[in-house]
Amino acid sequence: MKQYACDNLARIIKSDPTEDERVRYGKERDTMSLFVPFNDPKFTTLAQMIYRMQFEKDPLLSQEFDDRRKRLMYADITYNISFLLTSVGFQDEKIFSEYAKWLYEHLVSLMKDFTRERVTAIIVDHYEVMKTVIEKEGSSILSQQEIRTASGYLESAVKVTLDRRNEDFSESGFLQGDHLEIRQAYLQALLEGETEKAEEIIEQAKNSGISLLDIYEHILAKTMHEIGVLWHRNIISVDKEHYATSVTQTVMSHYFEEIFSRPRKNKVLVSLAVGSELHEMGIRMLSDIFDHEGWDTHYLGAGVSFEKVMEGIRLYKPQLVALSVTMPPYLPHCEEMVRGIKEAHPELLVAVGGQGFKSASNLWREWGADYYGNKAMDLLKWAEYPFES
């Protein structure tokens, strides 16, 4: 991996914000829901140049976009740059091209008052403006080779966007798999804000003999994934997404007595969400499942510094550390964690997972991690007999 771009990216993205920063940026996070702000002056300069140039290239935007949309457009530009820098830093075009697919679907769903053709034109213009600005001014944060790489990735993003113009985004996989009726009923209760009914549905599933592992993987996890899809398609608000997360966390808490009453195996898991992640549900479920199967688990939370992780390892003496990354811009932090842990504790097993690796699933091998996957049960089976799998 080219260190220059990733060093700059690590400086730009604040991995451990203070409490004041959490309060100050809370509203923006709720609005856009994904990332921390980027306040490096060089980064800000590029974002502002791209923003101004896009309105110069397409004056109609000034009439089409109200003040709110203009603010969101600027926020999107910062996110787009962060993904591009991540992709360039790891020399992995797929990170940005997969993001371009995600972004196109999201904006088509979000901008219902625009035709798909108009949304396509705006996004294509945006990537072309990004390319122009980075080629002219990108030397403040990128080497010349990295600028050429970034330009190529932006050209690919244009192609990806144009290729998706006529695609159907309706299929999410929610209707596939076991316990569909229960899953549908639980989702409906969440969407209608019926907390007690949602809890009752899962309680009835438990009483009918469905195991905790099945409930977690085939009902709760798949429903929460569908909630994310519905937000992505602008069918539900971020407030509804937060509500569904809160209810599901409460449902999970009802299993604590069962989880902690099972025999222990004298094995320890330390888990955490890398970076200032807002999406902790997956790693929390993983920790519960390991607890249920007899492991002693210690979830360190999100936004934890490397020093705190090392302190946790010294304190709890785990056999396994599990790191979750939801958003690719946090991958540089994950690399730092993995390399640092393996350097200090070569014998310690380190596993990585999460949506952040969806388009970069081979990075973990380069970092020295021992396992990558997105299903808790698969990791559990491997962790029981890691050298026999």
Side-chain angles (χ1 to χ4, degrees), residues 7-156:
D7 284 349
N8 277 282
L9 183 60
R11 273 205 322 274
I12 290 166
I13 301 175
K14 306 183 75 175
S15 63
D16 194 13
T18 65
E19 186 61 29
D20 286 345
E21 287 167 336
R22 291 184 190 278
V23 172
R24 188 186 318 149
Y25 297 135
K27 185 175 181 181
E28 286 86 348
R29 286 178 177 179
D30 283 346
T31 302
M32 296 306 297
S33 82
L34 297 180
F35 302 103
V36 296
F38 306 102
N39 55 8
D40 183 283
K42 296 174 183 177
F43 186 99
T44 302
T45 297
L46 284 180
Q48 290 173 344
M49 291 180 67
I50 292 168
Y51 178 82
R52 288 195 299 269
M53 188 175 290
Q54 182 134 14
F55 281 97
E56 292 170 1
K57 179 171 182 161
D58 186 356
L60 186 59
L61 285 176
S62 295
Q63 302 173 33
E64 294 176 326
F65 282 19
D66 58 17
D67 288 343
R68 177 180 176 276
R69 268 200 169 133
K70 289 175 182 177
R71 289 194 302 271
L72 295 180
M73 177 180 171
Y74 179 78
D76 282 342
I77 290 171
T78 66
Y79 307 150
N80 298 347
I81 297 173
S82 74
F83 268 88
L84 181 63
L85 291 180
T86 303
S87 190
V88 170
F90 288 114
Q91 298 183 18
D92 190 337
E93 180 182 339
K94 190 177 179 183
I95 293 175
F96 194 67
S97 63
E98 289 297 314
Y99 171 68
K101 294 177 184 178
W102 180 95
L103 181 65
Y104 181 68
E105 179 180 343
H106 182 54
L107 292 181
V108 165
S109 301
L110 194 64
M111 300 168 68
K112 296 290 189 183
D113 50 332
F114 287 71
T115 65
R116 183 174 284 210
E117 290 74 18
R118 180 58 177 146
V119 175
T120 303
I122 292 170
I123 297 174
V124 168
D125 279 352
H126 173 64
Y127 292 139
E128 291 175 349
V129 167
M130 282 184 71
K131 182 173 182 290
T132 298
V133 171
I134 286 174
E135 286 176 348
K136 289 183 178 179
E137 305 294 337
S139 58
S140 62
I141 57 175
L142 297 171
S143 69
Q144 289 303 310
Q145 177 57 49
E146 288 164 343
I147 289 173
R148 288 190 289 272
T149 300
S151 295
Y153 290 178
L154 287 163
E155 290 173 1
S156 296

Side-chain angles (χ1 to χ4, degrees), residues 220-332:
L220 300 182
K222 292 198 72 168
T223 300
M224 289 309 300
H225 180 267
E226 183 70 5
I227 288 287
V229 169
L230 294 176
W231 169 82
H232 181 213
R233 295 175 180 166
N234 198 36
I235 296 172
I236 64 172
S237 68
V238 70
D239 292 339
K240 182 65 74 174
E241 182 187 25
H242 292 172
Y243 163 78
T245 299
S246 176
V247 172
T248 301
Q249 287 175 333
T250 300
V251 166
M252 290 165 57
S253 72
H254 294 167
Y255 283 91
F256 286 174
E257 182 177 353
E258 175 185 341
I259 287 172
F260 294 112
S261 65
R262 292 170 64 87
R264 301 291 93 187
K265 294 180 176 178
N266 295 318
K267 293 185 177 182
V268 178
L269 166 73
V270 165
S271 60
L272 63 143
V274 176
S276 301
E277 291 279 16
L278 300 181
H279 301 84
E280 303 177 63
M281 182 68 71
I283 193 69
R284 285 179 177 272
M285 284 188 176
L286 181 143
S287 299
D288 281 1
I289 287 172
F290 269 73
D291 259 316
H292 183 268
E293 294 303 297
W295 288 60
D296 295 313
T297 72
H298 302 275
Y299 175 61
L300 302 184
V304 185
S305 69
F306 176 69
E307 291 73 19
K308 292 294 185 182
V309 174
M310 297 305 289
E311 181 181 323
I313 291 171
R314 288 192 296 270
L315 178 63
Y316 301 121
K317 296 178 173 56
Q319 283 75 46
L320 173 66
V321 176
L323 310 174
S324 174
V325 182
T326 303
M327 299 299 166
Y330 294 120
L331 288 171

Side-chain angles (χ1 to χ4, degrees), residues 173-185 205 210-211 213-223 375:
F174 181 72
L175 299 179
Q176 302 169 7
D178 297 333
H179 311 304
L180 175 58
E181 290 186 7
I182 299 173
R183 196 162 60 242
Q184 287 178 312
I210 300 175
S211 70
L213 303 182
D214 269 358
I215 288 174
Y216 268 44
E217 287 218 337
H218 299 297
I219 299 175
L220 300 182
K222 292 198 72 168
T223 300
K375 290 189 176 180

